[in-house]
Amino acid sequence: MITIYYLIGGCILSILIGAYAHARVSAFKKKLIDLDWDTVAGLATDVATIKKRLQKMQAVENGQNHGRINEMQILQQLATKGSLNGGSSVTDIRENRVRGG
């Protein structure tokens, strides 16, 4: 006897959940009717274009920053070596030759 009440309650609950879902879908459809799909499509392509440009700019910026950091480190090392050598960082090529026998 109690199982019949559970079954009836479950059926009523499923009908209420279905009615709630139907109301939400109907409200969503009403909102979509007023939407201009051409504008939405244009906005979607604009967002995709901006995203691609932003990614390219970030890639270029990352590459430039990486190179600048290395160049700055090299210049600092050369400056410190030059100041240690008395300001002359130029060496004669003839002194660096390896003589074979």
Side-chain angles (χ1 to χ4, degrees):
M1 187 74 151
I2 295 177
T3 57
I4 292 176
Y5 292 124
Y6 285 132
L7 291 174
I8 292 172
C11 289
I12 292 172
L13 182 65
S14 66
I15 290 171
L16 291 176
I17 291 173
Y20 177 72
H22 178 68
R24 288 194 56 157
V25 169
S26 296
F28 186 69
K29 282 184 178 180
K30 286 180 185 177
K31 289 179 184 177
L32 290 180
I33 288 174
D34 295 334
L35 195 60
D36 184 18
W37 288 104
D38 293 330
T39 305
V40 172
L43 289 173
T45 55
D46 289 345
V47 168
T49 304
I50 290 171
K51 184 177 178 183
K52 286 180 185 178
R53 286 184 185 174
L54 188 65
Q55 288 174 345
K56 285 181 184 179
M57 287 175 55
Q58 286 177 344
V60 168
E61 184 179 334
N62 287 339
Q64 287 178 350
N65 286 342
H66 181 67
R68 285 183 185 165
I69 291 170
N70 288 340
E71 289 174 3
M72 292 179 71
Q73 288 174 349
I74 291 170
L75 289 174
Q76 288 175 352
Q77 289 176 357
L78 288 175
T80 56
K81 285 182 184 179
S83 63
L84 292 176
N85 292 337
S88 175
S89 61
V90 178
T91 58
D92 192 2
I93 295 176
R94 289 173 275 166
E95 294 175 5
N96 292 334
R97 266 192 215 157
V98 177
R99 296 192 178 145

